[in-house]
C-alpha cells in the first residue's frame, strides 16, 4: 500500500528568549512529518540547526528528494543509507517508528524490549544573562534535581556561582556551547569544583578539541557538537568522558539507539539532550532517557504553547505523554 507524506514547517514562539553563547532564540522553527498508510499516521518532528548547516528549507528539500521512495515503503535502514545524520532523517525516522507501531499494534517501548515509559528527572535550563538575573532564574527552580547553566566566555565563574548560591542542592551541568579556549578551561577548574559541577558540556569548539588530549580536569567533559553518530565515537576517546545524544544530531532514534549502546559499552557516560522543540520531538528521545546518567529534555517548556497532550513537568520530573501521542 502506498504511503502519503505531508511535510510542514511550524513555528512555536518561546515564552521567554533562550540565550546561549552563539545567540538568542525567540521561536522554535521545526519541520513536521505526517506519514499515512491506510488509516494509520506516523508523526515526527525535527529542528534544523544552523550550527550544522541546516535550515528549514534545506531539511524540507532533503525530505522531498526522497518522496517517491518514502511513498513506496522505504524502511528505516534504507533511510539511514540515503540521508546523512541530521534533522531531516530524524523527523522521517520518528514518523516511521510511530507508523510501524500503529500498523503492528506493538508500541515502540516493547519493540525495544523495554518497559512502559516512566517519569525521569530532566535538567531545567538557565540561559545566559547577568549573574544577578541568572540567580533569580535559578531560585525559581531551586527545588529541582538538575539544572543546566548556559555560559559563554564572559565571566562564566560569576554566572555559575550565582546559580549555585540560588540553588545550593541541585546537580549542575555547565554548557559553554563551544565558547571557551583551553586556557579558560584550565582557569575554570577551581570555580567548577567549588560549584560542585557534575558535568561540563562541550567547552571548546569541536574542531579545537585536540587540546583535550593533554588535559585532565576536575569535572567530566561531555561531547555535544563533537559527536553526532556512532562512527564519531573513536575520536571521542581521550578527549571526553561523556556523550550527549540528540536525535537531531544522530538523525533519529534508530541511530541514537546504536550510539547509546556503543557509548555505554566503551565506558562513556551518556546524556540525552534535545533542541528547543515540542513534545513531538521529545517523545522518541524519552525511549532512551532511562538509560542515561543525565537527561536534558526541557525543550517544550520554553514554548508559549506545546501540544496539550504532550509531556508534562512535575517538579523536576518529566512525565511521558499518554499512550497514543507517539509510538503506540
Amino acid at each position: 500500500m502506498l504511503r502519503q507524506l505531508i511535510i510542514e514547517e511550524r513555528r512555536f514562539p518561546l515564552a521567554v528568549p533562550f540565550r546561549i553563547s552563539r545567540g538568542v532564540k525567540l521561536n522554535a522553527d521545526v519541520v513536521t512529518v505526517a506519514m499515512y498508510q491506510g488509516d494509520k499516521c506516523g508523526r515526527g518532528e525535527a529542528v534544523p540547526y544552523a550550527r550544522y548547516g541546516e535550515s528549514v528549507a534545506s531539511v524540507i528539500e532533503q525530505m522531498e528528494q526522497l518522496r517517491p521512495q518514502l511513498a513506496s515503503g522505504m524502511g528505516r535502514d534504507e533511510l539511514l543509507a540515503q540521508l546523512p545524520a541530521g534533522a531531516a532523517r530524524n523527523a522521517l525516522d520518528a514518523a516511521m517508528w510511530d507508523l510501524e507501531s500503529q500498523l503492528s499494534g506493538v508500541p515502540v517501548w516493547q519493540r525495544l524490549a523495554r518497559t512502559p515509559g516512566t517519569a525521569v528527572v530532566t535538567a531545567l535550563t538557565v540561559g545566559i544573562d547577568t549573574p544577578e538575573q541568572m540567580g533569580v532564574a535559578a531560585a525559581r527552580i531551586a527545588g529541582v534535581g538538575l539544572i543546566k547553566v548556559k555560559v559563554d566566555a564572559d565571566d562564566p565563574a560569576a554566572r555559575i556561582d550565582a546559580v549555585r548560591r540560588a540553588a545550593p542542592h541541585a546537580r549542575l551541568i555547565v554548557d559553554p556551547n563551544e565558547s571557551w579556549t583551553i586556557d579558560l578551561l584550565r582557569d575554570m577548574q577551581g570555580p567548577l569544583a567549588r560549584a560542585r559541577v557534575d558535568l561540563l558540556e562541550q567547552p571548546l569548539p569541536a574542531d579545537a578539541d585536540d587540546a583535550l588530549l593533554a588535559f585532565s580536569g576536575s569535572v567530566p567533559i561531555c561531547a555535544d557538537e563533537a559527536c553526532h553518530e556512532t562512527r564519531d565515537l573513536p575520536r571521542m576517546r581521550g578527549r571526553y568522558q561523556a556523550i550527549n545524544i540528540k536525535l537531531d544530531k544522530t538523525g533519529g532514534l534508530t541511530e541514537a539507539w546504536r550510539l547509546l549502546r556503543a557509548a555505554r559499552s566503551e565506558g562513556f557516560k551518556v546524556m540525552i539532550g534535545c533542541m528547543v522543540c515540542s513534545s513531538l520531538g521529545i517523545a522518541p528521545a524519552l525511549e532512551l532517557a532511562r538509560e542515561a546518567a543525565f537527561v536534558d529534555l526541557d525543550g517544550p517548556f520554553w514554548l508559549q504553547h506545546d501540544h496539550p497532550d504532550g509531556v508534562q513537568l512535575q517538579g523536576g520530573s518529566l512525565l511521558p505523554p499518554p499512550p497514543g501521542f507517539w509510538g503506540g
Side-chain angles (χ1 to χ4, degrees):
M1 181 180 293
L2 289 177
R3 294 173 180 160
Q4 291 182 314
L5 196 67
I6 298 176
I7 302 169
E8 295 181 311
E9 173 187 358
R10 184 168 182 185
R11 169 166 285 185
F12 291 91
L14 303 193
V16 295
F18 182 76
R19 292 183 175 89
I20 66 172
S21 65
R22 63 174 61 97
V24 181
K25 181 185 285 286
L26 302 177
N27 303 285
D29 294 309
V30 308
V31 177
T32 63
V33 174
M35 188 176 291
Y36 291 88
Q37 186 168 324
D39 63 350
K40 306 297 185 183
C41 176
R43 301 185 301 154
E45 176 187 287
V47 183
Y49 201 43
R51 166 65 178 79
Y52 306 134
E54 297 177 328
S55 66
V56 167
S58 72
V59 166
I60 291 176
E61 182 181 5
Q62 283 182 293
M63 294 179 178
E64 290 290 356
Q65 290 176 348
L66 289 181
R67 183 179 286 272
Q69 298 98 307
L70 293 163
S72 62
M74 171 186 277
R76 289 182 286 109
D77 287 337
E78 186 180 355
L79 176 66
L80 261 66
Q82 291 292 323
L83 277 184
R89 196 172 79 187
N90 178 30
L92 292 169
D93 182 79
M96 288 178 178
W97 276 99
D98 191 17
L99 181 60
E100 290 165 9
S101 286
Q102 293 190 43
L103 291 171
S104 67
V106 182
V108 170
W109 61 263
Q110 190 171 340
R111 291 163 58 206
L112 291 173
R114 314 292 306 291
T115 55
T118 57
V120 295
V121 174
T122 183
L124 298 184
T125 302
V126 174
I128 294 177
D129 208 321
T130 64
E132 294 75 18
Q133 288 303 309
M134 291 179 71
V136 170
R140 296 192 193 104
I141 56 174
V144 305
L146 183 62
I147 294 174
K148 175 182 273 195
V149 186
K150 293 287 189 178
V151 296
D152 54 18
D154 181 16
D155 201 2
R159 291 181 160 99
I160 296 166
D161 183 59
V163 171
R164 173 48 81 203
R165 289 198 309 271
H169 305 298
R171 301 170 73 202
L172 296 186
I173 301 170
V174 170
D175 185 7
N177 282 108
E178 302 184 279
S179 64
W180 290 3
T181 63
I182 188 64
D183 289 336
L184 179 55
L185 176 60
R186 291 192 184 99
D187 291 344
M188 284 298 298
Q189 293 309 295
L192 291 171
R194 286 194 299 272
R196 307 189 314 279
V197 171
D198 284 83
L199 194 70
L200 179 63
E201 186 179 348
Q202 199 67 54
L204 306 186
D207 61 2
D209 65 0
D210 282 353
L212 296 176
L213 290 169
F215 176 79
S216 179
S218 57
V219 177
I221 299 178
C222 178
D224 182 4
E225 287 86 352
C227 184
H228 290 236
E229 50 190 331
T230 308
R231 66 182 181 180
D232 296 330
L233 271 182
R235 192 179 177 279
M236 301 303 102
R237 299 185 195 116
R239 294 174 170 83
Y240 302 94
Q241 294 75 52
I243 303 295
N244 187 358
I245 300 175
K246 295 178 179 174
L247 302 191
D248 280 308
K249 292 191 303 174
T250 65
L253 177 60
T254 302
E255 171 61 19
W257 184 247
R258 296 172 183 173
L259 175 56
L260 171 71
R261 289 178 294 173
R264 291 184 65 185
S265 71
E266 295 196 25
F268 290 101
K269 293 184 178 181
V270 171
M271 176 178 174
I272 303 298
C274 68
M275 308 301 185
V276 179
C277 62
S278 84
S279 286
L280 185 55
I282 294 299
L286 276 172
E287 299 297 336
L288 307 175
R290 284 169 293 163
E291 304 288 336
F294 300 91
V295 176
D296 177 27
L297 297 178
D298 68 340
F301 308 114
W302 286 87
L303 309 182
Q304 288 183 18
H305 301 289
D306 185 25
H307 299 274
D309 55 345
V311 297
Q312 301 294 321
L313 190 65
Q314 190 174 83
S317 293
L318 183 65
L319 307 180
F325 178 80
W326 181 89

